[in-house]
Amino acid sequence: MNIKKEAAQSLMESMARAIITASLLGMFVVPSAYAQDAKSVLVVAGPRTPESLDQEYPPTEASHESKRNTYERLLAYDTKMQNGVKVENFDKLVGALAEQWEVSADKTSITFFLRKGVKSADGNEMTADDVMWTFERGWNKNANFRWYMGQIMGITDFSAFQKVDGMTVKVTLPRPSPLIERIWVNNDLGILDAVTAKKHVTADDPWASRWLSTHSASFAPYQVAKFQSGQEVIYEANPNYYRGAPQIKKVIFREMPTSANRLAALQAGAVDVAEWLSPRELSALEKNPQIKVWQVFGNYIHRVEMNNTTPPFDNQNVRQALNYLVPREDILKAVYYGKARATKSPISEIYPAYADEYFKYTQDVDKAKALLKEAGHEEGFKTQLGYRTGDQIEEEIAVILKTAFARAGVDVELIKLPASTLVERYSKGTIPMYFFRDMAIVPDAAYVANLWLNSASLINYPKFKNAEVDQLINEGLTSTDEAKREANMKRVQQIVVEQAPWVFLMNPGYQLATRANVTGFSWYTPNSNTWYDFSKK
């Protein structure tokens, strides 16, 4: 043993860590203008800034968090405490920007009576004109708002939206909808401060899209004071917020793509919050008294999707065989450090009508081999599995699956691709298997099933198609008989688990690491942090 050499190496490593920490502290230093009251400023490190601040931009994890904090919706769910975390109570709706609302007996119309005295950060008082302009903009942009209103609500013409008076708006549907109230909690359906937004309308940009891509205008608890894509977003509190001014007056969000750097910044005290750390990093932090790790099992479902129209995955026995080969306990321990749970249904486990009694896939190599033999693949087959560059969890699971599938003769080539390339390939059906992680933010089984399993859905990338499933989903979007809807959605789960369009993997949950003096972590279905709930001791 060369003691001098080891001592020198240890010293060099310590110096390297010190240099990294110093650089992080420099990168995340709070400007002196904000440092007067450290308890009112929250510094956050996340993987990336939002791609756009416009709520009509396609939803991403980064944009969901921005929308959550800079747009307010007409309705909300009440909250409750669960294991020390504030979560939504899906059984009770409450008014937000709409103080009251009325639904017709046949559930074909809803009337919103707006809350009086609600003001934006610019001091503009909300009226029905703000709501109607938001609706008109969303309809004409033909993106998020139009999709919800058309695909889910069945609206085909903008005449469905009516200004009744200065503080009342009515929406009329062509058919009943069981989601006529709950849809308005959705993170993509915030209300704009039309007075401010209209100041940035031009002849070639009638909906102020350019300005709203880098600015906010709403009645939410925060407004965006600075937006530098790929670098930083600064949120400032709305002093006029109708629920009371936020305790955190400024949120400084800094982009830090590398998880290890976010971890180091949190440990060094350079940031108050570190988002999206790995299970391994979180497990290590739990031993640090200066750090708090928050966790909730939310609505994420992580799976491997298979192209159900391409051989050999057009054969149900093959798809079932792969499910029998998954070593779920090994993945839970080696990859997730116990911070996940096995997924046993295509419906999120925390949502009403969830059923796990149909799940039968324990690790059983002999059963898998028998199914492959029945499918004509006794010797196995070759295939590919795509995963995202830079996603350590997917890479680790991919290696485990490659070994597990080989036990039945399935030779898997692992394909690492940039996220955009992987999306392009699976959306075009040019890769046979790929990882997919998603959450449905409306807590309704028919809504979830419609997104992922309806053959008409644009994001049913595996091209799963079952006539009975389609019929039950479509009925679930229009029936107001809740007992029948629940029974039908359980039948959907039974069929889907049996036909196995996916390799069912994990509910990875949602975790957040903060300094120990940060309190108020809460969880909402978009899996994005709500800074209004946070405070610092």
Side-chain angles (χ1 to χ4, degrees), residues 182-247:
R182 282 175 281 176
I183 197 70
W184 301 102
V185 180
N186 196 290
N187 207 52
D188 297 316
L189 300 179
I191 302 302
L192 288 155
D193 172 1
V195 173
T196 293
K198 283 182 177 180
K199 293 177 181 178
H200 305 279
V201 164
T202 63
D204 65 338
D205 187 11
W207 303 110
S209 296
R210 284 192 294 272
W211 188 80
L212 285 169
S213 69
T214 56
H215 299 79
S216 61
S218 76
F219 306 94
Y222 291 93
Q223 64 173 333
V224 174
K226 178 183 179 183
F227 178 68
Q228 285 183 291
S229 181
Q231 297 182 44
E232 180 181 72
V233 184
I234 296 180
Y235 301 92
E236 291 186 346
N238 174 5
N240 307 313
Y241 186 49
Y242 76 95
R243 292 168 59 197
Q247 294 183 67

Side-chain angles (χ1 to χ4, degrees), residues 37 39-41 222 237 244-250 519 531-536:
D37 184 3
K39 291 183 179 180
S40 69
V41 179
Y222 291 93
Q247 294 183 67
I248 299 295
K249 305 303 180 186
K250 284 189 186 291
T519 63
W531 307 127
Y532 183 79
D533 295 335
F534 282 63
S535 61
K536 291 171 69 176

